[in-house]
Amino acid sequence: MPLSPLNPVYPYPLPVLRNPITGAPMAPSTDLSEIRDAYKTLFKDQYTPIANNLLRELSFIVTTTATTTGSRTTLPFAMDDTLAVTMPSASAWPTTGLGDAVSKEGNRAYMYYLKDVVNDLRFFCGYVEAAGDTLQELSALNGNANDQAHVLLDKLQCYDQLCRETVKEFSEHFKYNFSSDTWEEVYDAINPTTYAVNPQVKDPTTTTPIPYATLTNLREMRVACTDPTGVNTKPINTFNELSKLDKLKYIKWYYNLILKTSNPQPQTVFPDDLQTGYPCLPDKVSTSGTEDTKALGALELFYIGYLISRDGPINALSSFFEIKTQALRQNISLMMGNIEAMNQFLTFLNRGLDLLNSSQAEKEKAHRIPDAAALALRFFCEGTLRGLKELTIGNKKEHYLVLSCNEKRTDDGYSVTKSGNYLLVKADMTGLDSFLGTKILKNDEWPVHDGDKKDHPHIFYDGTAGNSGGTTSDGFLYVTERIIRGENTDRLKLEESYKLPGQHGCDIYRQFEYANSSYSGDNANKPEVLGETVFVEGENVRVNERVVYHPTSTNDILLAQFTDPDGPDVKSWLPKAIKVDSVLFGSVLHGDDGRWFLKDEATNTTVSSWTTAFTNKTQYINTAIESINNEVAIMRTKIDTFDSAATTFRNNASDTYKNILSRIG
Amino acid sequence: MNLYDEYKEPGESAMEELKKLDERLKVLQKKFASSKTDNVQDSLFTSDNLKSAIGLLKTINPSEKNMVRSLETLVPLAEKPNEVLGHLNSKKNAATHGPEVVSTPFTKQLKCKLPQNRLI
């Protein structure tokens, strides 16, 4: 049934039929069929493809990773000829950030723009969907239904306006006009048949040549500007020169380049901690992987853009200085943490040395070097020293030393296979007591290797006898490995092993392995456990930040495990290494065959060599603390400068405020 | 000289100095944060003030080219009426950044007891 004409008192302008932004409204009409068809064309042929293009681009941005090219094929939104609209399902909308491998602040900036884009697109799709429903209602009107028609047309006008505003936001950005020497808000033309917004951050997978193959290129990207001779390009000055989708894409591309497997780039943040650092270009970039980035450099363009977008241009300067002070405070917190960590290292070293000395107290007896001293020598003299790791166990925050092997040994040419396992020892006296013990046993107190005294950290026992119900898992952490005299391998290992199925925990054990095949059999590969923790799977066992712990246990010694030893999640989880010189195990005298644990091999000369090692390492740590003192002096100067800036800034504000008040008064 | 005294001093000294610096920064941070939320801020968004801020920034932190450029883009905007600025002038989302920094994960008395008297 043809629709009756509308009351001519209320003629309706026909919707825009060309570009929703630049097109001019057509003449008013009272022909309801004409108006309906015009709206149908508008929503079907313009807004729907624009929505699809925007969704497709969003899908492409979020699915592109450092190693894949992503896809633009996802088209979750469609309006067919009957105007039935299919909205993207709830799960189709991206909600996650860039992952643990990206700094928390970088993720925050990305999520800010992502949420903005998703929110706008959800509303946009909702408007188009509602318009489809309204058009169907309009088609279903019978005979004279002027009043209803007016209501529905008002709705369509409203949806048109809302869609237009949304599309406008997606095309909005700033452009510099050299003629007028001003920045202008500009809106790109929207082409519904190709791509929704002219991309400034271009797709490197389809554009030749690839425009932003490196971070340097991305940072120096050029955008369109207007000068007296016509449209040209210039290096980007402000993040607001990019459209909404391009801002999101810029951040994604930035981290794609950083995380790219084939050519990863340093992710520079200050302070040098992905949890607390701000994306920046430090004056001095740490490339060693062990040394902290000490200088507070310039914040990255996209991060400043994020601050301005979030807080408004009015607050740009305040936000900027607030971030700077926050970054310096975070850095101070890290430095204090490092000092505290080094204090813990000193405490553990001292305990090792203390026990070594105690073992030599009775000279008339045969003596051996205690295992605790060996552990201290391995982990604290030779191993990589890191900052403390904070874990929330239950509702309580605990701090742990993170112990691991050197990733590669060069003194004996033996490469170490990393397992992704890290030993965590509580950074307090209970952790110290559990890890190194409080006393040594005399020779006649040493237990038989029957496993009866396995709970004493200084007692080793044969883990194969009666105590091994499970199978040896994969993933050794070779704390140290040495080929001794070219025949045998003496190892200290961290391993989740000798546990019954369903049990978790870790053993620290020594393994003496005969390289000579003639020494096979029971004596080969025989592990001797120095300490262990065991947790049984069940509701009382919790997994937190990759660490299995027991809520009612002291959790003095824990094991953190990573599937991929070189994965980005390991890097983001690990506290930064503290630069302290090492005392290599190989430089310390041992018994005749390099072992420390046989009771007749600890000569005075050997013990003296160990003592020197502990003393030297203590001095190295002290040197590192002195180095921090130097950094403090540099930081004090920076803070003096900031203090001055703050005063100037506040004085300016105060003066301005007074001027305004005087005018009002 | 006792090794304990020798080794504890640098650490304690650094900790004390860091605590003092952190206190100063805490005050500074509050100043900047309050600048975003007090009633002065609207009047601050003038081209003269921005030019002054740019000059200040160039002096104290010349490496901050991105921030200087971003501020420079705001100068002509500051001369426009608010209705032209539209949502870019919105301050409703202004947020004080970050949680309170905990300066010391856990505080302990520095100690370094190297048992010198029992050195072999």
Side-chain angles (χ1 to χ4, degrees):
Chain A
M1 178 186 295
L3 294 172
S4 60
L6 287 167
N7 185 335
V9 176
Y10 307 107
Y12 275 83
L14 290 177
V16 178
L17 291 179
R18 297 186 188 87
N19 190 299
I21 291 171
T22 60
M26 296 177 70
S29 172
T30 57
D31 184 338
L32 189 52
S33 296
E34 185 183 7
I35 298 173
R36 184 199 60 189
D37 289 345
Y39 272 115
K40 182 178 175 181
T41 303
L42 174 71
F43 282 100
K44 182 173 179 294
D45 295 341
Q46 295 197 37
Y47 288 134
T48 298
I50 288 173
N52 268 329
N53 281 334
L54 291 171
L55 286 168
R56 199 164 49 171
E57 194 62 13
L58 174 63
S59 168
F60 175 67
I61 292 170
V62 298
T63 57
T64 305
T65 68
T67 53
T68 68
T69 56
S71 169
R72 280 201 174 96
T73 58
T74 307
L75 295 170
F77 186 73
M79 178 184 266
D80 63 21
D81 287 342
T82 60
L83 295 179
V85 172
T86 305
M87 279 280 283
S89 65
S91 60
W93 297 100
T95 55
T96 55
L98 298 170
D100 292 342
V102 167
S103 73
K104 198 172 251 184
E105 282 303 312
N107 252 320
R108 194 169 282 169
Y110 175 78
M111 285 304 294
Y112 175 86
Y113 289 112
L114 179 66
K115 284 178 181 174
D116 188 35
V117 167
V118 166
N119 192 46
D120 279 356
L121 280 179
R122 288 185 84 128
F123 277 110
F124 186 25
C125 293
Y127 301 146
V128 178
E129 183 185 46
D133 294 341
T134 306
L135 283 167
Q136 282 187 318
E137 286 182 58
L138 199 60
S139 297
L141 288 180
N142 294 320
N144 286 320
N146 266 325
D147 289 345
Q148 282 177 274
H150 283 300
V151 171
L152 295 175
L153 289 176
D154 283 343
K155 277 187 178 181
L156 286 172
Q157 252 193 317
C158 184
Y159 295 139
D160 177 21
Q161 181 64 28
L162 290 168
C163 286
R164 192 176 309 184
E165 286 298 318
T166 306
V167 173
K168 193 176 172 186
E169 277 201 29
F170 275 97
S171 75
E172 176 194 71
H173 60 94
F174 277 84
K175 187 182 281 189
Y176 193 71
N177 189 328
F178 284 95
S179 301
S180 58
D181 198 25
T182 57
W183 290 89
E184 297 170 343
E185 275 180 303
V186 295
Y187 301 92
D188 282 342
I190 301 294
N191 184 348
T193 60
T194 55
Y195 175 63
V197 182
N198 181 36
Q200 295 165 304
V201 183
K202 290 179 179 160
D203 176 2
T205 64
T206 59
T207 307
T208 305
I210 295 173
Y212 305 120
T214 67
L215 275 179
T216 304
N217 288 353
L218 184 67
R219 286 171 176 140
E220 294 174 356
M221 72 179 291
R222 301 181 75 83
V223 292
C225 64
T226 306
D227 68 16
T229 60
V231 176
N232 212 325
T233 62
K234 64 162 195 56
I236 188 169
N237 265 12
T238 175
F239 209 50
N240 274 335
E241 288 178 74
L242 300 180
S243 65
K244 185 177 284 195
L245 271 175
D246 275 352
K247 287 175 185 168
L248 184 65
K249 193 190 287 183
Y250 184 102
I251 300 173
K252 185 66 186 281
W253 256 234
Y254 175 86
Y255 285 110
N256 275 359
L257 288 166
I258 282 175
L259 300 176
K260 198 168 187 176
T261 311
S262 59
N263 184 28
Q265 303 292 310
Q267 185 176 175
T268 48
V269 289
F270 182 88
D272 200 3
D273 176 0
L274 294 182
Q275 292 299 310
T276 58
Y278 297 90
C280 70
L281 283 161
D283 299 333
K284 178 189 173 189
V285 178
S286 168
T287 55
S288 67
T290 58
E291 186 179 2
D292 281 349
T293 299
K294 294 185 176 64
L296 171 58
L299 293 176
E300 279 283 4
L301 177 73
F302 78 85
Y303 195 76
I304 290 173
Y306 156 66
L307 293 180
I308 294 174
S309 297
R310 189 194 69 185
D311 294 350
I314 244 175
N315 297 307
L317 200 58
S318 299
S319 298
F320 170 77
F321 279 125
E322 189 192 4
I323 288 297
K324 286 281 189 174
T325 49
Q326 176 86 359
L328 284 171
R329 292 191 70 201
Q330 300 279 24
N331 196 47
I332 282 176
S333 180
L334 284 182
M335 292 167 85
M336 293 174 96
N338 285 349
I339 291 174
E340 287 161 351
M342 285 192 273
N343 184 41
Q344 292 296 320
F345 300 145
L346 290 174
T347 307
F348 276 64
L349 276 171
N350 288 338
R351 175 66 61 85
L353 183 56
D354 205 2
L355 293 170
L356 174 68
N357 289 330
S358 297
S359 74
Q360 309 305 309
E362 297 177 69
K363 292 292 185 184
E364 72 280 5
K365 292 188 177 181
H367 50 273
R368 65 188 289 275
I369 293 176
D371 297 328
L375 290 174
L377 183 67
R378 297 280 195 178
F379 284 110
F380 300 106
C381 289
E382 183 180 64
T384 301
L385 302 184
R386 298 182 179 279
L388 300 177
K389 180 71 182 177
E390 183 180 274
L391 296 176
T392 302
I393 305 288
N395 295 322
K396 195 176 175 186
K397 290 187 185 303
E398 302 281 7
H399 293 84
Y400 285 84
L401 306 175
V402 180
L403 308 182
S404 63
C405 62
N406 286 333
E407 294 182 354
K408 186 177 181 182
R409 295 182 59 88
T410 55
D411 58 337
D412 58 7
Y414 199 91
S415 296
V416 174
T417 304
K418 286 184 287 183
S419 68
N421 292 354
Y422 291 89
L423 187 70
L424 302 173
V425 179
K426 196 179 281 184
D428 59 14
M429 292 306 290
T430 61
L432 172 62
D433 292 346
S434 296
F435 187 53
L436 296 183
T438 57
K439 64 177 183 178
I440 56 109
L441 298 180
K442 296 177 181 176
N443 289 349
D444 55 2
E445 294 175 324
W446 293 348
V448 180
H449 294 185
D450 60 3
D452 289 343
K453 298 180 180 178
K454 63 177 181 178
D455 54 339
H456 193 291
H458 287 168
I459 298 173
F460 54 92
Y461 72 102
D462 183 355
T464 62
N467 298 296
S468 58
T471 56
T472 303
S473 66
D474 293 330
F476 287 6
L477 172 63
Y478 289 78
V479 177
T480 57
E481 281 198 50
R482 285 184 59 76
I483 299 175
I484 299 169
R485 297 173 63 185
E487 294 178 356
N488 308 321
T489 301
D490 175 24
R491 295 170 174 166
L492 266 181
K493 295 178 180 178
L494 299 181
E495 184 190 359
E496 187 179 29
S497 65
Y498 300 105
K499 299 288 178 295
L500 292 168
Q503 291 182 336
H504 291 283
C506 67
D507 294 337
I508 313 161
Y509 72 90
R510 177 180 64 241
Q511 185 174 42
F512 188 73
E513 190 173 295
Y514 291 94
N516 189 326
S517 60
S518 63
Y519 291 95
S520 59
D522 289 344
N523 287 328
N525 237 348
K526 198 167 191 175
E528 293 166 322
V529 176
L530 305 178
E532 71 163 5
T533 61
V534 181
F535 296 138
V536 181
E537 272 184 5
E539 60 182 16
N540 287 328
V541 174
R542 305 281 184 266
V543 179
N544 178 37
E545 296 183 71
R546 302 202 179 259
V547 179
V548 180
Y549 71 96
H550 197 290
T552 61
S553 168
T554 58
N555 294 302
D556 292 336
I557 301 174
L558 301 172
L559 187 69
Q561 296 180 299
F562 294 87
T563 306
D564 178 3
D566 294 313
D569 51 346
V570 183
K571 291 173 185 167
S572 64
W573 181 90
L574 268 181
K576 198 77 175 177
I578 298 172
K579 190 179 182 184
V580 181
D581 289 343
S582 292
V583 175
L584 296 179
F585 188 85
S587 68
V588 182
L589 288 178
H590 302 283
D592 288 343
D593 66 352
R595 290 173 287 168
W596 78 87
F597 54 87
L598 296 183
K599 63 181 181 180
D600 57 350
E601 290 181 345
T603 64
N604 282 350
T605 308
T606 303
V607 173
S608 178
S609 172
W610 284 57
T611 303
T612 302
F614 285 123
T615 309
N616 285 346
K617 184 68 178 189
T618 303
Q619 287 169 341
Y620 295 157
I621 290 176
N622 195 48
T623 302
I625 292 175
E626 289 284 9
S627 172
I628 288 181
N629 263 324
N630 293 336
E631 285 180 48
V632 169
I634 295 169
M635 190 179 288
R636 191 189 303 118
T637 306
K638 283 182 185 292
I639 292 171
D640 286 344
T641 309
F642 269 81
D643 214 345
S644 167
T647 304
T648 308
F649 183 77
R650 294 292 291 185
N651 286 343
N652 282 349
S654 178
D655 288 346
T656 308
Y657 188 54
K658 282 176 189 167
N659 286 339
I660 291 174
L661 284 179
S662 64
R663 283 180 209 162
I664 295 172
Chain B
M1 183 179 180
N2 190 308
L3 279 179
Y4 168 74
D5 293 332
E6 183 182 340
Y7 288 125
K8 76 166 186 177
E9 190 177 343
E12 283 185 345
S13 166
M15 291 288 267
E16 284 306 310
E17 190 61 31
L18 284 170
K19 282 177 186 170
K20 286 179 191 169
L21 293 180
D22 188 59
E23 276 303 310
R24 286 179 60 192
L25 282 170
K26 190 176 180 180
V27 174
L28 271 175
Q29 193 178 3
K30 283 183 178 172
K31 279 186 187 177
F32 292 128
S34 65
S35 295
K36 294 193 299 185
T37 52
D38 64 22
N39 293 324
V40 183
Q41 56 185 337
D42 281 335
S43 62
L44 271 176
F45 197 61
T46 64
S47 57
D48 285 344
N49 272 351
L50 283 173
K51 285 173 186 170
S52 167
I54 290 166
L56 177 69
L57 195 55
K58 281 180 176 173
T59 305
I60 66 168
N61 221 166
S63 65
E64 283 289 357
K65 293 186 173 56
N66 286 332
M67 187 61 196
V68 167
R69 286 172 180 168
S70 293
L71 287 174
E72 283 171 346
T73 67
L74 300 176
V75 172
L77 295 180
E79 292 163 349
K80 291 186 178 183
N82 281 342
E83 55 268 28
V84 175
L85 291 173
H87 71 279
L88 287 172
N89 203 19
S90 170
K91 60 190 177 188
K92 64 184 177 183
N93 295 324
T96 294
H97 195 271
E100 179 72 15
V101 174
V102 180
S103 302
T104 53
F106 68 112
T107 305
K108 297 178 80 69
Q109 177 68 35
L110 274 178
K111 54 191 173 186
C112 174
K113 291 182 180 177
L114 202 62
Q116 186 188 31
N117 58 343
R118 278 187 281 146
L119 289 179
I120 306 298

